[in-house]
Amino acid sequence: MPTDIPGIHHVTAIASGPQENYDFYTETLGLRLVKRSVNQDDTSVYHLFYGDRAGSPGTSMTFFPYPGARPGQVGTGQVSTTGFTIPADAVEYWLDRLEGAGVDVDEPRERFGETVIPLRDPDGLPLELVGVEGAPAGGPPAGPVPPERAIRGFYGVTLSLEDTDSTVRVLEEMGYEEAGSAGDRTRYEASGDIGAVVDLIAEPDRGRGQPGAGTVHHVAFRVTSDEQPEWREQLQTLGLRPTEIVDRKWFESVYTRTPGGVLFEYATAEPGYTVDEALDSLGERLVLPEWFEDRREEIEAGLPPLSVDSN
């Protein structure tokens, strides 16, 4: 058996306007653009990666922004909410900050003894900021949010499912353990100190999610390069149909659609975003995997305008 998975590697969602997406995640949430590239399956679309200063695994929220994309519909078979960790004593700071920025935000609520701030990004993507006592220090980027108040990385994700049993089996195989329940929500936790939570909600009457702007495309979990082939075999023993290992330049990936409909990815921590850019200049230029370099001029000409500040 491979080693238990410690938590989330990244979450990838669909957006509409790339400029609005960039402005919100860097200026409002204070994350750093750590990689500016293209969707490797559709090079006419950016792939924008945000995270801590280095884009460490467990901190990286990524987007495919399709200008003019129709709104999606969050529902079953999807990640319905993506949560970020903030220090518990930063809750009031974030409430004031979000209100001042005109963000679509709800009143905070208590969940499992922690304060949760529900909000939505410019495309309506459901997000949460979760105040955590003893939140890890992490590596917050320089930017508009003071380091002591900054987002530390992922808290976890919530999955909306028609039923939870088949997904529980997958999570338990990954090393997640049930950690409690509240109403229709059941919490599973991994061993890591960041991005370790997966909440399951059975919502058979909600309706199937529809992809589009404001919805999550997939959630990726952290694995090592050495153990990724073992994880692929393990997924097959569960009756799933994982892809071959795919080279994404900054990590290698295996994808599988879970029985509940959510697309899971198993991504390696290595080699990371600094494999082709210096740490201090991450995100400042369009970076392409070498297999696209001979098409750079064509690719750049097909991308929409995006104004990016120096990091």
Side-chain angles (χ1 to χ4, degrees):
M1 287 283 294
T3 307
D4 288 349
I5 285 173
I8 293 168
H9 183 284
H10 66 269
V11 175
T12 296
I14 302 170
S16 55
Q19 192 66 57
E20 294 83 355
N21 181 263
Y22 169 80
D23 291 345
F24 178 80
Y25 283 91
T26 60
E27 295 178 12
T28 303
L29 294 192
L31 302 178
R32 183 186 186 190
L33 180 68
V34 292
K35 192 64 61 180
R36 183 174 14 151
S37 190
V38 294
N39 181 339
Q40 294 183 25
D41 300 313
D42 181 357
T43 58
S44 68
V45 176
Y46 281 113
H47 193 177
L48 304 179
F49 300 70
Y50 307 98
D52 68 1
R53 184 167 182 264
S56 308
T59 75
S60 185
M61 185 82 192
T62 93
F63 287 89
F64 302 135
Y66 292 83
R70 66 173 180 81
Q73 179 65 48
V74 178
T76 59
Q78 289 181 335
V79 172
S80 57
T81 309
T82 302
F84 296 100
T85 292
I86 59 171
D89 61 4
V91 168
E92 290 301 324
Y93 168 86
W94 277 102
L95 287 170
D96 290 344
R97 180 175 183 82
L98 296 171
E99 181 183 0
V103 174
D104 183 12
V105 60
D106 295 340
E107 288 295 316
R109 60 194 63 170
E110 294 297 310
R111 185 189 300 144
F112 295 108
E114 295 170 327
T115 303
V116 178
I117 306 173
L119 66 143
R120 285 148 296 276
D121 82 354
D123 287 300
L125 181 73
L127 304 172
E128 292 177 339
L129 301 182
V130 184
V132 176
E133 293 286 353
V145 177
E148 67 274 13
R149 303 283 187 244
I151 288 171
R152 300 299 198 247
F154 290 113
Y155 182 84
V157 293
T158 300
L159 310 186
S160 175
L161 305 165
E162 291 182 6
D163 70 86
T164 60
D165 290 349
S166 56
T167 301
V168 167
R169 184 178 174 219
V170 176
L171 290 174
E172 289 179 342
E173 196 74 14
M174 292 161 57
Y176 281 76
E177 297 182 354
E178 185 174 343
S181 61
D184 58 0
R185 179 185 300 265
T186 304
R187 172 153 296 179
Y188 288 81
E189 289 188 8
S191 60
D193 65 351
I194 199 162
V197 170
V198 175
D199 284 352
L200 305 183
I201 301 180
E203 301 178 291
D205 299 325
R206 183 173 187 175
R208 197 73 172 171
Q210 300 299 319
T215 64
V216 169
H217 185 270
H218 64 267
V219 54
F221 296 91
R222 307 197 292 274
V223 298
T224 65
S225 297
D226 289 344
E227 293 190 336
Q228 190 177 53
E230 293 181 66
W231 274 113
R232 184 174 180 277
E233 292 178 8
Q234 203 68 22
L235 295 171
Q236 290 175 313
T237 67
L238 290 172
L240 303 180
R241 301 178 61 185
T243 65
E244 298 294 331
I245 295 174
V246 181
D247 185 358
R248 294 303 192 190
K249 178 62 178 182
W250 310 288
F251 42 83
E252 292 188 330
S253 302
V254 169
Y255 303 86
T256 192
R257 185 74 61 179
T258 60
V262 183
L263 183 59
F264 279 13
E265 176 183 351
Y266 298 81
T268 61
E270 311 85 5
Y273 299 132
T274 56
V275 68
D276 53 6
E277 291 183 287
L279 178 61
D280 288 344
S281 57
L282 288 175
E284 292 182 5
R285 64 185 182 91
L286 182 72
V287 174
L288 300 175
E290 52 269 22
W291 50 90
F292 288 142
E293 275 297 345
D294 61 348
R295 295 176 51 205
R296 175 174 284 274
E297 186 174 345
E298 166 205 343
I299 289 171
E300 288 183 336
L303 291 169
L306 176 60
S307 177
V308 173
D309 294 332
S310 171
N311 291 276

mmCIF file with all atom_site columns, all heavy atoms in Angstrom, residues 101-121:
data_model
loop_
_atom_site.group_PDB
_atom_site.id
_atom_site.type_symbol
_atom_site.label_atom_id
_atom_site.label_alt_id
_atom_site.label_comp_id
_atom_site.label_asym_id
_atom_site.label_entity_id
_atom_site.label_seq_id
_atom_site.pdbx_PDB_ins_code
_atom_site.Cartn_x
_atom_site.Cartn_y
_atom_site.Cartn_z
_atom_site.occupancy
_atom_site.B_iso_or_equiv
_atom_site.pdbx_formal_charge
_atom_site.auth_seq_id
_atom_site.auth_comp_id
_atom_site.auth_asym_id
_atom_site.auth_atom_id
_atom_site.pdbx_PDB_model_num
ATOM 1   N N   . ALA A 1 101 ? -14.224 45.707 -0.254 1.00 0.00 ? 101 ALA A N   1
ATOM 2   C CA  . ALA A 1 101 ? -13.978 45.399 -1.668 1.00 0.00 ? 101 ALA A CA  1
ATOM 3   C C   . ALA A 1 101 ? -15.258 45.088 -2.423 1.00 0.00 ? 101 ALA A C   1
ATOM 4   O O   . ALA A 1 101 ? -15.214 44.809 -3.627 1.00 0.00 ? 101 ALA A O   1
ATOM 5   C CB  . ALA A 1 101 ? -13.016 44.218 -1.775 1.00 0.00 ? 101 ALA A CB  1
ATOM 6   N N   . GLY A 1 102 ? -16.388 45.120 -1.738 1.00 0.00 ? 102 GLY A N   1
ATOM 7   C CA  . GLY A 1 102 ? -17.656 44.865 -2.401 1.00 0.00 ? 102 GLY A CA  1
ATOM 8   C C   . GLY A 1 102 ? -17.858 43.408 -2.805 1.00 0.00 ? 102 GLY A C   1
ATOM 9   O O   . GLY A 1 102 ? -18.588 43.112 -3.754 1.00 0.00 ? 102 GLY A O   1
ATOM 10  N N   . VAL A 1 103 ? -17.235 42.494 -2.063 1.00 0.00 ? 103 VAL A N   1
ATOM 11  C CA  . VAL A 1 103 ? -17.328 41.069 -2.378 1.00 0.00 ? 103 VAL A CA  1
ATOM 12  C C   . VAL A 1 103 ? -18.687 40.523 -1.937 1.00 0.00 ? 103 VAL A C   1
ATOM 13  O O   . VAL A 1 103 ? -19.252 40.955 -0.928 1.00 0.00 ? 103 VAL A O   1
ATOM 14  C CB  . VAL A 1 103 ? -16.179 40.295 -1.690 1.00 0.00 ? 103 VAL A CB  1
ATOM 15  C CG1 . VAL A 1 103 ? -16.340 38.782 -1.875 1.00 0.00 ? 103 VAL A CG1 1
ATOM 16  C CG2 . VAL A 1 103 ? -14.841 40.751 -2.243 1.00 0.00 ? 103 VAL A CG2 1
ATOM 17  N N   . ASP A 1 104 ? -19.191 39.576 -2.700 1.00 0.00 ? 104 ASP A N   1
ATOM 18  C CA  . ASP A 1 104 ? -20.435 38.889 -2.361 1.00 0.00 ? 104 ASP A CA  1
ATOM 19  C C   . ASP A 1 104 ? -20.154 37.926 -1.211 1.00 0.00 ? 104 ASP A C   1
ATOM 20  O O   . ASP A 1 104 ? -19.603 36.844 -1.412 1.00 0.00 ? 104 ASP A O   1
ATOM 21  C CB  . ASP A 1 104 ? -20.932 38.132 -3.594 1.00 0.00 ? 104 ASP A CB  1
ATOM 22  C CG  . ASP A 1 104 ? -22.262 37.432 -3.378 1.00 0.00 ? 104 ASP A CG  1
ATOM 23  O OD1 . ASP A 1 104 ? -22.916 37.703 -2.355 1.00 0.00 ? 104 ASP A OD1 1
ATOM 24  O OD2 . ASP A 1 104 ? -22.645 36.612 -4.241 1.00 0.00 ? 104 ASP A OD2 1
ATOM 25  N N   . VAL A 1 105 ? -20.505 38.340 -0.011 1.00 0.00 ? 105 VAL A N   1
ATOM 26  C CA  . VAL A 1 105 ? -20.133 37.591 1.195  1.00 0.00 ? 105 VAL A CA  1
ATOM 27  C C   . VAL A 1 105 ? -21.341 37.431 2.107  1.00 0.00 ? 105 VAL A C   1
ATOM 28  O O   . VAL A 1 105 ? -22.214 38.298 2.162  1.00 0.00 ? 105 VAL A O   1
ATOM 29  C CB  . VAL A 1 105 ? -18.970 38.306 1.933  1.00 0.00 ? 105 VAL A CB  1
ATOM 30  C CG1 . VAL A 1 105 ? -19.355 39.704 2.355  1.00 0.00 ? 105 VAL A CG1 1
ATOM 31  C CG2 . VAL A 1 105 ? -18.476 37.489 3.116  1.00 0.00 ? 105 VAL A CG2 1
ATOM 32  N N   . ASP A 1 106 ? -21.423 36.291 2.800  1.00 0.00 ? 106 ASP A N   1
ATOM 33  C CA  . ASP A 1 106 ? -22.491 36.033 3.758  1.00 0.00 ? 106 ASP A CA  1
ATOM 34  C C   . ASP A 1 106 ? -21.991 36.280 5.180  1.00 0.00 ? 106 ASP A C   1
ATOM 35  O O   . ASP A 1 106 ? -20.789 36.396 5.419  1.00 0.00 ? 106 ASP A O   1
ATOM 36  C CB  . ASP A 1 106 ? -22.972 34.585 3.653  1.00 0.00 ? 106 ASP A CB  1
ATOM 37  C CG  . ASP A 1 106 ? -23.616 34.273 2.311  1.00 0.00 ? 106 ASP A CG  1
ATOM 38  O OD1 . ASP A 1 106 ? -24.039 35.220 1.622  1.00 0.00 ? 106 ASP A OD1 1
ATOM 39  O OD2 . ASP A 1 106 ? -23.663 33.081 1.952  1.00 0.00 ? 106 ASP A OD2 1
ATOM 40  N N   . GLU A 1 107 ? -22.931 36.298 6.107  1.00 0.00 ? 107 GLU A N   1
ATOM 41  C CA  . GLU A 1 107 ? -22.576 36.410 7.514  1.00 0.00 ? 107 GLU A CA  1
ATOM 42  C C   . GLU A 1 107 ? -21.752 35.192 7.929  1.00 0.00 ? 107 GLU A C   1
ATOM 43  O O   . GLU A 1 107 ? -21.999 34.070 7.467  1.00 0.00 ? 107 GLU A O   1
ATOM 44  C CB  . GLU A 1 107 ? -23.830 36.487 8.379  1.00 0.00 ? 107 GLU A CB  1
ATOM 45  C CG  . GLU A 1 107 ? -24.578 37.806 8.273  1.00 0.00 ? 107 GLU A CG  1
ATOM 46  C CD  . GLU A 1 107 ? -23.750 38.963 8.812  1.00 0.00 ? 107 GLU A CD  1
ATOM 47  O OE1 . GLU A 1 107 ? -23.127 38.809 9.889  1.00 0.00 ? 107 GLU A OE1 1
ATOM 48  O OE2 . GLU A 1 107 ? -23.720 40.011 8.144  1.00 0.00 ? 107 GLU A OE2 1
ATOM 49  N N   . PRO A 1 108 ? -20.760 35.383 8.793  1.00 0.00 ? 108 PRO A N   1
ATOM 50  C CA  . PRO A 1 108 ? -19.973 34.231 9.249  1.00 0.00 ? 108 PRO A CA  1
ATOM 51  C C   . PRO A 1 108 ? -20.831 33.256 10.034 1.00 0.00 ? 108 PRO A C   1
ATOM 52  O O   . PRO A 1 108 ? -21.849 33.626 10.619 1.00 0.00 ? 108 PRO A O   1
ATOM 53  C CB  . PRO A 1 108 ? -18.890 34.869 10.120 1.00 0.00 ? 108 PRO A CB  1
ATOM 54  C CG  . PRO A 1 108 ? -19.423 36.203 10.511 1.00 0.00 ? 108 PRO A CG  1
ATOM 55  C CD  . PRO A 1 108 ? -20.300 36.646 9.390  1.00 0.00 ? 108 PRO A CD  1
ATOM 56  N N   . ARG A 1 109 ? -20.401 31.998 10.029 1.00 0.00 ? 109 ARG A N   1
ATOM 57  C CA  . ARG A 1 109 ? -21.110 30.952 10.759 1.00 0.00 ? 109 ARG A CA  1
ATOM 58  C C   . ARG A 1 109 ? -20.107 30.064 11.466 1.00 0.00 ? 109 ARG A C   1
ATOM 59  O O   . ARG A 1 109 ? -18.929 30.042 11.094 1.00 0.00 ? 109 ARG A O   1
ATOM 60  C CB  . ARG A 1 109 ? -21.977 30.129 9.809  1.00 0.00 ? 109 ARG A CB  1
ATOM 61  C CG  . ARG A 1 109 ? -21.181 29.431 8.714  1.00 0.00 ? 109 ARG A CG  1
ATOM 62  C CD  . ARG A 1 109 ? -22.076 28.918 7.604  1.00 0.00 ? 109 ARG A CD  1
ATOM 63  N NE  . ARG A 1 109 ? -22.765 29.997 6.931  1.00 0.00 ? 109 ARG A NE  1
ATOM 64  C CZ  . ARG A 1 109 ? -23.469 29.844 5.795  1.00 0.00 ? 109 ARG A CZ  1
ATOM 65  N NH1 . ARG A 1 109 ? -23.571 28.640 5.259  1.00 0.00 ? 109 ARG A NH1 1
ATOM 66  N NH2 . ARG A 1 109 ? -24.064 30.865 5.230  1.00 0.00 ? 109 ARG A NH2 1
ATOM 67  N N   . GLU A 1 110 ? -20.571 29.343 12.465 1.00 0.00 ? 110 GLU A N   1
ATOM 68  C CA  . GLU A 1 110 ? -19.714 28.409 13.187 1.00 0.00 ? 110 GLU A CA  1
ATOM 69  C C   . GLU A 1 110 ? -19.916 26.998 12.631 1.00 0.00 ? 110 GLU A C   1
ATOM 70  O O   . GLU A 1 110 ? -21.049 26.582 12.388 1.00 0.00 ? 110 GLU A O   1
ATOM 71  C CB  . GLU A 1 110 ? -20.042 28.427 14.677 1.00 0.00 ? 110 GLU A CB  1
ATOM 72  C CG  . GLU A 1 110 ? -19.726 29.743 15.369 1.00 0.00 ? 110 GLU A CG  1
ATOM 73  C CD  . GLU A 1 110 ? -18.257 30.085 15.336 1.00 0.00 ? 110 GLU A CD  1
ATOM 74  O OE1 . GLU A 1 110 ? -17.430 29.224 15.701 1.00 0.00 ? 110 GLU A OE1 1
ATOM 75  O OE2 . GLU A 1 110 ? -17.936 31.219 14.939 1.00 0.00 ? 110 GLU A OE2 1
ATOM 76  N N   . ARG A 1 111 ? -18.801 26.282 12.443 1.00 0.00 ? 111 ARG A N   1
ATOM 77  C CA  . ARG A 1 111 ? -18.864 24.904 11.976 1.00 0.00 ? 111 ARG A CA  1
ATOM 78  C C   . ARG A 1 111 ? -17.726 24.118 12.611 1.00 0.00 ? 111 ARG A C   1
ATOM 79  O O   . ARG A 1 111 ? -16.564 24.525 12.476 1.00 0.00 ? 111 ARG A O   1
ATOM 80  C CB  . ARG A 1 111 ? -18.783 24.847 10.446 1.00 0.00 ? 111 ARG A CB  1
ATOM 81  C CG  . ARG A 1 111 ? -18.962 23.439 9.875  1.00 0.00 ? 111 ARG A CG  1
ATOM 82  C CD  . ARG A 1 111 ? -18.669 23.400 8.387  1.00 0.00 ? 111 ARG A CD  1
ATOM 83  N NE  . ARG A 1 111 ? -19.558 24.275 7.653  1.00 0.00 ? 111 ARG A NE  1
ATOM 84  C CZ  . ARG A 1 111 ? -19.185 24.981 6.587  1.00 0.00 ? 111 ARG A CZ  1
ATOM 85  N NH1 . ARG A 1 111 ? -17.931 24.937 6.153  1.00 0.00 ? 111 ARG A NH1 1
ATOM 86  N NH2 . ARG A 1 111 ? -20.049 25.740 5.955  1.00 0.00 ? 111 ARG A NH2 1
ATOM 87  N N   . PHE A 1 112 ? -18.045 23.068 13.292 1.00 0.00 ? 112 PHE A N   1
ATOM 88  C CA  . PHE A 1 112 ? -17.045 22.249 13.969 1.00 0.00 ? 112 PHE A CA  1
ATOM 89  C C   . PHE A 1 112 ? -16.114 23.107 14.839 1.00 0.00 ? 112 PHE A C   1
ATOM 90  O O   . PHE A 1 112 ? -14.901 22.897 14.886 1.00 0.00 ? 112 PHE A O   1
ATOM 91  C CB  . PHE A 1 112 ? -16.231 21.436 12.965 1.00 0.00 ? 112 PHE A CB  1
ATOM 92  C CG  . PHE A 1 112 ? -17.032 20.414 12.209 1.00 0.00 ? 112 PHE A CG  1
ATOM 93  C CD1 . PHE A 1 112 ? -17.333 20.603 10.865 1.00 0.00 ? 112 PHE A CD1 1
ATOM 94  C CD2 . PHE A 1 112 ? -17.493 19.267 12.838 1.00 0.00 ? 112 PHE A CD2 1
ATOM 95  C CE1 . PHE A 1 112 ? -18.074 19.665 10.165 1.00 0.00 ? 112 PHE A CE1 1
ATOM 96  C CE2 . PHE A 1 112 ? -18.232 18.317 12.150 1.00 0.00 ? 112 PHE A CE2 1
ATOM 97  C CZ  . PHE A 1 112 ? -18.529 18.518 10.807 1.00 0.00 ? 112 PHE A CZ  1
ATOM 98  N N   . GLY A 1 113 ? -16.692 24.110 15.501 1.00 0.00 ? 113 GLY A N   1
ATOM 99  C CA  . GLY A 1 113 ? -15.938 24.938 16.427 1.00 0.00 ? 113 GLY A CA  1
ATOM 100 C C   . GLY A 1 113 ? -15.073 26.000 15.785 1.00 0.00 ? 113 GLY A C   1
ATOM 101 O O   . GLY A 1 113 ? -14.286 26.647 16.488 1.00 0.00 ? 113 GLY A O   1
ATOM 102 N N   . GLU A 1 114 ? -15.223 26.222 14.467 1.00 0.00 ? 114 GLU A N   1
ATOM 103 C CA  . GLU A 1 114 ? -14.424 27.228 13.762 1.00 0.00 ? 114 GLU A CA  1
ATOM 104 C C   . GLU A 1 114 ? -15.344 28.218 13.048 1.00 0.00 ? 114 GLU A C   1
ATOM 105 O O   . GLU A 1 114 ? -16.468 27.870 12.667 1.00 0.00 ? 114 GLU A O   1
ATOM 106 C CB  . GLU A 1 114 ? -13.488 26.562 12.752 1.00 0.00 ? 114 GLU A CB  1
ATOM 107 C CG  . GLU A 1 114 ? -12.433 25.681 13.421 1.00 0.00 ? 114 GLU A CG  1
ATOM 108 C CD  . GLU A 1 114 ? -11.653 24.823 12.448 1.00 0.00 ? 114 GLU A CD  1
ATOM 109 O OE1 . GLU A 1 114 ? -12.231 24.392 11.422 1.00 0.00 ? 114 GLU A OE1 1
ATOM 110 O OE2 . GLU A 1 114 ? -10.463 24.567 12.713 1.00 0.00 ? 114 GLU A OE2 1
ATOM 111 N N   . THR A 1 115 ? -14.863 29.434 12.883 1.00 0.00 ? 115 THR A N   1
ATOM 112 C CA  . THR A 1 115 ? -15.639 30.464 12.201 1.00 0.00 ? 115 THR A CA  1
ATOM 113 C C   . THR A 1 115 ? -15.389 30.390 10.710 1.00 0.00 ? 115 THR A C   1
ATOM 114 O O   . THR A 1 115 ? -14.240 30.369 10.259 1.00 0.00 ? 115 THR A O   1
ATOM 115 C CB  . THR A 1 115 ? -15.279 31.863 12.723 1.00 0.00 ? 115 THR A CB  1
ATOM 116 O OG1 . THR A 1 115 ? -15.504 31.911 14.140 1.00 0.00 ? 115 THR A OG1 1
ATOM 117 C CG2 . THR A 1 115 ? -16.124 32.929 12.052 1.00 0.00 ? 115 THR A CG2 1
ATOM 118 N N   . VAL A 1 116 ? -16.486 30.355 9.954  1.00 0.00 ? 116 VAL A N   1
ATOM 119 C CA  . VAL A 1 116 ? -16.427 30.219 8.498  1.00 0.00 ? 116 VAL A CA  1
ATOM 120 C C   . VAL A 1 116 ? -17.050 31.456 7.860  1.00 0.00 ? 116 VAL A C   1
ATOM 121 O O   . VAL A 1 116 ? -18.169 31.851 8.219  1.00 0.00 ? 116 VAL A O   1
ATOM 122 C CB  . VAL A 1 116 ? -17.180 28.958 8.042  1.00 0.00 ? 116 VAL A CB  1
ATOM 123 C CG1 . VAL A 1 116 ? -17.154 28.831 6.521  1.00 0.00 ? 116 VAL A CG1 1
ATOM 124 C CG2 . VAL A 1 116 ? -16.588 27.719 8.699  1.00 0.00 ? 116 VAL A CG2 1
ATOM 125 N N   . ILE A 1 117 ? -16.333 32.059 6.914  1.00 0.00 ? 117 ILE A N   1
ATOM 126 C CA  . ILE A 1 117 ? -16.857 33.187 6.141  1.00 0.00 ? 117 ILE A CA  1
ATOM 127 C C   . ILE A 1 117 ? -17.176 32.693 4.735  1.00 0.00 ? 117 ILE A C   1
ATOM 128 O O   . ILE A 1 117 ? -16.269 32.418 3.948  1.00 0.00 ? 117 ILE A O   1
ATOM 129 C CB  . ILE A 1 117 ? -15.850 34.347 6.055  1.00 0.00 ? 117 ILE A CB  1
ATOM 130 C CG1 . ILE A 1 117 ? -15.391 34.791 7.441  1.00 0.00 ? 117 ILE A CG1 1
ATOM 131 C CG2 . ILE A 1 117 ? -16.451 35.519 5.280  1.00 0.00 ? 117 ILE A CG2 1
ATOM 132 C CD1 . ILE A 1 117 ? -14.257 35.819 7.403  1.00 0.00 ? 117 ILE A CD1 1
ATOM 133 N N   . PRO A 1 118 ? -18.465 32.562 4.368  1.00 0.00 ? 118 PRO A N   1
ATOM 134 C CA  . PRO A 1 118 ? -18.814 32.160 3.004  1.00 0.00 ? 118 PRO A CA  1
ATOM 135 C C   . PRO A 1 118 ? -18.778 33.373 2.056  1.00 0.00 ? 118 PRO A C   1
ATOM 136 O O   . PRO A 1 118 ? -19.261 34.458 2.404  1.00 0.00 ? 118 PRO A O   1
ATOM 137 C CB  . PRO A 1 118 ? -20.233 31.614 3.135  1.00 0.00 ? 118 PRO A CB  1
ATOM 138 C CG  . PRO A 1 118 ? -20.524 31.564 4.614  1.00 0.00 ? 118 PRO A CG  1
ATOM 139 C CD  . PRO A 1 118 ? -19.640 32.599 5.235  1.00 0.00 ? 118 PRO A CD  1
ATOM 140 N N   . LEU A 1 119 ? -18.224 33.195 0.884  1.00 0.00 ? 119 LEU A N   1
ATOM 141 C CA  . LEU A 1 119 ? -18.159 34.259 -0.105 1.00 0.00 ? 119 LEU A CA  1
ATOM 142 C C   . LEU A 1 119 ? -18.145 33.662 -1.499 1.00 0.00 ? 119 LEU A C   1
ATOM 143 O O   . LEU A 1 119 ? -18.041 32.446 -1.672 1.00 0.00 ? 119 LEU A O   1
ATOM 144 C CB  . LEU A 1 119 ? -16.918 35.131 0.106  1.00 0.00 ? 119 LEU A CB  1
ATOM 145 C CG  . LEU A 1 119 ? -15.550 34.459 -0.130 1.00 0.00 ? 119 LEU A CG  1
ATOM 146 C CD1 . LEU A 1 119 ? -14.572 35.431 -0.766 1.00 0.00 ? 119 LEU A CD1 1
ATOM 147 C CD2 . LEU A 1 119 ? -14.980 33.951 1.201  1.00 0.00 ? 119 LEU A CD2 1
ATOM 148 N N   . ARG A 1 120 ? -18.249 34.539 -2.499 1.00 0.00 ? 120 ARG A N   1
ATOM 149 C CA  . ARG A 1 120 ? -18.203 34.097 -3.882 1.00 0.00 ? 120 ARG A CA  1
ATOM 150 C C   . ARG A 1 120 ? -17.282 35.004 -4.672 1.00 0.00 ? 120 ARG A C   1
ATOM 151 O O   . ARG A 1 120 ? -17.204 36.205 -4.408 1.00 0.00 ? 120 ARG A O   1
ATOM 152 C CB  . ARG A 1 120 ? -19.622 34.101 -4.486 1.00 0.00 ? 120 ARG A CB  1
ATOM 153 C CG  . ARG A 1 120 ? -20.477 32.928 -4.006 1.00 0.00 ? 120 ARG A CG  1
ATOM 154 C CD  . ARG A 1 120 ? -21.945 33.276 -3.911 1.00 0.00 ? 120 ARG A CD  1
ATOM 155 N NE  . ARG A 1 120 ? -22.191 34.314 -2.907 1.00 0.00 ? 120 ARG A NE  1
ATOM 156 C CZ  . ARG A 1 120 ? -22.340 34.071 -1.599 1.00 0.00 ? 120 ARG A CZ  1
ATOM 157 N NH1 . ARG A 1 120 ? -22.247 32.843 -1.118 1.00 0.00 ? 120 ARG A NH1 1
ATOM 158 N NH2 . ARG A 1 120 ? -22.568 35.078 -0.755 1.00 0.00 ? 120 ARG A NH2 1
ATOM 159 N N   . ASP A 1 121 ? -16.581 34.422 -5.633 1.00 0.00 ? 121 ASP A N   1
ATOM 160 C CA  . ASP A 1 121 ? -15.669 35.213 -6.464 1.00 0.00 ? 121 ASP A CA  1
ATOM 161 C C   . ASP A 1 121 ? -16.469 35.893 -7.570 1.00 0.00 ? 121 ASP A C   1
ATOM 162 O O   . ASP A 1 121 ? -17.703 35.776 -7.619 1.00 0.00 ? 121 ASP A O   1
ATOM 163 C CB  . ASP A 1 121 ? -14.513 34.330 -6.963 1.00 0.00 ? 121 ASP A CB  1
ATOM 164 C CG  . ASP A 1 121 ? -14.837 33.494 -8.192 1.00 0.00 ? 121 ASP A CG  1
ATOM 165 O OD1 . ASP A 1 121 ? -16.002 33.484 -8.647 1.00 0.00 ? 121 ASP A OD1 1
ATOM 166 O OD2 . ASP A 1 121 ? -13.911 32.839 -8.716 1.00 0.00 ? 121 ASP A OD2 1
#
